[in-house]
Amino acid sequence: DQQVKQNSPSLSVQEGRISILNCDYTNSMFDYFLWYKKYPAEGPTFLISISSIKDKNEDGRFTVFLNKSAKHLSLHIVPSQPGDSAVYFCAARGYGGSQGNLIFGKGTKLSVKP
Amino acid sequence: NAGVMQNPRHLVRRRGQEARLRCSPMKGHSHVYWYRQLPEEGLKFMVYLQKENIIDESGMPKERFSAEFPKEGPSILRIQQVVRGDSAAYFCASCRDQGEAFFGQGTRLTVV
């Protein structure tokens, strides 16, 4: 039973346009959400996070939106650059004890074309 | 300012041997996660540890796999009697009690 779902395995975007990566979750105990970026043969790199008390967090070209009622979050990258081409993982965690598990989606492979 | 260190980066084992994967968390981090990534798949949670405690091992196979995070020294993921299906990239991440987790570069295990 997947608690964190990324339903699009891949996304292709033109350089300079907006990339929108989506993530859905099922566990209402999750209260902290993170996005990671992963290049082949490397470990995932933390990008941006959001607490459940917020609905938006922005860091440079990256913005994460959280819709708690829909149990949905999205990562916006604007403008997209070829160097953004990577696999993006959404992750969620609860607070305390076993709820502190960091659960990942299966990832979305983003290709930004020049 | 060392990040999460995993070693070895590459490990080759014959079927039936033991594999030991090490993870040194970032300074000040007392929580460690282990994940496995099979080819063309996402990151699958295996185990979540605090120093000297296993918080959640629900993602660990019931047999042959074990993990520890002692008071001193790195966290160890141990796989006994490896089989071909254990071939994967194993990633470790560390964090403080809350907040973002930071990953190591992974250990690529190949079972021949």
Side-chain angles (χ1 to χ4, degrees):
Chain A
D1 180 31
Q2 260 188 285
Q3 297 186 67
V4 178
K5 298 178 187 178
Q6 292 177 258
N7 291 320
S8 298
S10 62
L11 175 68
S12 185
V13 168
Q14 206 66 34
E15 181 179 4
R17 308 292 288 264
I18 185 171
S19 296
I20 300 176
L21 298 108
N22 293 305
C23 179
D24 298 292
Y25 62 96
T26 57
N27 189 341
S28 56
M29 296 295 288
F30 289 143
D31 63 1
Y32 191 66
F33 304 90
L34 308 92
W35 284 94
Y36 287 81
K37 172 178 168 179
K38 187 180 182 304
Y39 294 117
E42 292 187 12
T45 304
F46 169 74
L47 265 179
I48 191 168
S49 61
I50 187 167
S51 161
S52 60
I53 61 172
K54 293 187 171 182
D55 54 20
K56 177 182 173 181
N57 189 25
E58 194 171 347
D59 183 2
R61 296 186 298 115
F62 301 91
T63 304
V64 56
F65 295 92
L66 175 62
N67 182 336
K68 280 200 326 185
S69 60
K71 293 194 178 74
H72 177 85
L73 64 154
S74 60
L75 174 68
H76 293 212
I77 307 172
V78 56
S80 302
Q81 299 172 354
D84 296 330
S85 297
V87 178
Y88 288 78
F89 291 97
C90 161
R93 69 194 287 186
Y95 172 71
S98 62
Q99 296 298 327
N101 284 350
L102 194 57
I103 305 296
F104 283 80
K106 290 193 171 182
T108 297
K109 185 174 184 178
L110 174 66
S111 300
V112 180
K113 305 208 181 300
Chain B
N1 184 22
V4 178
M5 303 298 290
Q6 287 189 251
N7 67 82
R9 288 293 307 275
H10 301 274
L11 182 61
V12 179
R13 284 285 176 266
R14 295 188 184 282
R15 277 180 296 169
Q17 290 185 317
E18 179 179 282
R20 279 191 177 213
L21 289 64
R22 290 176 195 78
C23 170
S24 295
M26 284 179 71
K27 190 175 179 182
H29 286 190
S30 57
H31 296 242
V32 163
Y33 301 87
W34 283 95
Y35 294 87
R36 175 163 66 176
Q37 186 177 30
L38 294 166
E40 307 302 321
E41 298 226 353
L43 293 158
K44 286 209 75 177
F45 166 77
M46 297 183 76
V47 63
Y48 170 39
L49 308 115
Q50 198 176 6
K51 276 200 185 280
E52 299 185 282
N53 267 326
I54 296 176
I55 308 293
D56 187 335
E57 56 182 346
S58 59
M60 289 275 270
K62 295 278 184 279
E63 295 175 353
R64 302 188 298 108
F65 284 72
S66 63
E68 62 176 11
F69 187 16
K71 189 176 177 183
E72 303 289 340
S75 175
I76 307 283
L77 179 68
R78 185 183 291 112
I79 311 171
Q80 295 177 304
Q81 298 173 318
V82 296
V83 301
R84 287 234 168 93
D86 297 333
S87 295
Y90 291 82
F91 291 98
C92 157
S94 76
C95 64
R96 292 192 176 89
D97 186 28
Q98 297 182 62
E100 52 269 21
F102 295 89
F103 280 83
Q105 295 283 49
T107 293
R108 289 193 192 289
L109 172 66
T110 303
V111 180
V112 298

